[in-house]
Amino acid sequence: MTARISPTALYQEVAERLRQRIFAHELLPGTWVDEQKLAEQYGISRTPLREALKVLASEGLVVLKPRRGCYVTEILPQDLDDIFPLIALLEGRCAAEAVRKMDKVDKADLERLAALHERLEQIARENRMADFFEANQAFHKAIQELAGNRWLQQVIQDLRKVLKLSRLHSLSLEGRLQQSLEEHRGILAALQAGDAALAEKRMHDHLLSGREALARMQENSSKPS
């Protein structure tokens, strides 16, 4: 007899709700997670809530401290210094693999990337920052999908989840949006030219430019007004 497929486990739904609240900074980095209050809000017992927190801990979004409870992960400058070179290395590799798996020129894939980039250009012209951020994520994810390496993609997405914890975003720095657009143009051009090495370098440098922008923002915010 074939076993029935059960619906999504309760703890997974709770984990997703908490994940979105963390990304929206409703649950702020460094703050203690009140398990009893959350269980009451969601009308559930502490068991599925704790299972959900274990999932988020495995993703690096919360920290479970023995006898002290659960805290939302706080991203420090050193964390950014550690993560950005790694994600630059991984996404650079994705760009190179994407070129190699496009059989030199796959028009459908390239047209899709070009369309995503054109959406970035349009959103930038309209100065819709939140939409630009989402479109930017879609552009990067499309390149990862073209690379066809699920292990690379999984690690990258896990790292990007952690980066979402930062309350700063590089695109908020004056001039960074246009710089980011120019970098995307260069990445797309390398992909269209079928140049794996150039695509890898440009993607790598693009991610490190984002870290440099964040560093400038932190420096400016620390200066006395």
Side-chain angles (χ1 to χ4, degrees):
M1 181 178 178
T2 304
R4 295 181 63 185
I5 299 175
S6 61
T8 302
L10 178 59
Y11 78 89
Q12 292 176 321
E13 181 180 342
V14 175
E16 177 57 23
R17 290 193 186 190
L18 292 175
R19 192 180 291 116
Q20 294 308 316
R21 291 181 69 178
I22 290 170
F23 290 157
H25 293 153
E26 292 177 24
L27 297 174
L28 292 173
T31 58
W32 174 65
V33 176
D34 189 335
E35 294 183 24
Q36 182 174 345
K37 182 178 180 180
L38 286 173
E40 291 173 355
Q41 286 179 350
Y42 293 145
I44 59 175
S45 70
R46 298 279 282 274
T47 299
L49 178 61
R50 285 173 176 167
E51 290 300 313
L53 293 175
K54 288 179 184 177
V55 171
L56 299 182
S58 71
E59 297 175 359
L61 300 182
V62 300
V63 178
L64 301 174
K65 300 182 179 182
R67 297 181 296 280
R68 293 179 59 190
C70 179
Y71 293 78
V72 178
T73 300
E74 186 171 14
I75 297 298
L76 302 175
Q78 183 59 53
D79 295 312
L80 297 178
D81 288 339
D82 291 340
I83 292 172
F84 268 92
L86 181 55
I87 202 169
L89 183 70
L90 296 172
E91 291 211 35
R93 176 61 182 266
C94 270
E97 289 194 12
V99 171
R100 297 187 185 108
K101 292 183 179 180
M102 282 194 291
D103 294 324
K104 300 302 181 183
V105 179
D106 187 320
K107 290 185 178 179
D109 289 335
L110 289 175
E111 286 172 0
R112 178 185 171 211
L113 277 177
L116 285 170
H117 179 73
E118 177 52 37
R119 175 167 167 74
L120 277 171
E121 298 272 5
Q122 179 64 34
I123 289 170
R125 286 193 292 270
E126 297 170 0
N127 199 32
R128 292 186 282 131
M129 186 66 72
D131 290 338
F132 187 94
F133 177 78
E134 294 302 324
N136 176 67
Q137 296 286 312
F139 181 84
H140 282 259
K141 190 173 181 180
I143 294 174
Q144 294 161 30
E145 290 171 350
L146 287 177
N149 187 326
R150 67 187 179 97
W151 301 107
L152 261 179
Q153 189 171 352
Q154 180 177 316
V155 176
I156 290 168
Q157 291 307 312
D158 285 346
L159 289 172
R160 281 191 170 272
K161 285 178 185 176
V162 176
L163 287 179
K164 281 187 178 182
L165 295 172
S166 174
R167 280 178 271 190
L168 296 174
H169 195 284
S170 64
L171 292 174
S172 302
L173 183 70
E174 184 177 357
R176 174 58 190 160
L177 189 147
Q178 289 303 320
Q179 181 187 13
S180 178
L181 269 179
E182 187 60 36
E183 291 165 1
H184 278 94
R185 292 181 192 123
I187 293 167
L188 180 61
L191 290 164
Q192 290 171 329
D195 191 329
L198 185 59
E200 182 170 11
K201 183 181 186 306
R202 286 180 173 174
M203 179 63 82
H204 178 272
D205 293 349
H206 167 59
L207 270 299
L208 292 187
S209 289
R211 174 63 188 115
E212 290 170 4
L214 284 176
R216 291 198 299 274
M217 289 181 67
Q218 290 171 323
E219 183 180 344
N220 292 340
S221 65
S222 64
K223 291 180 180 178
S225 56

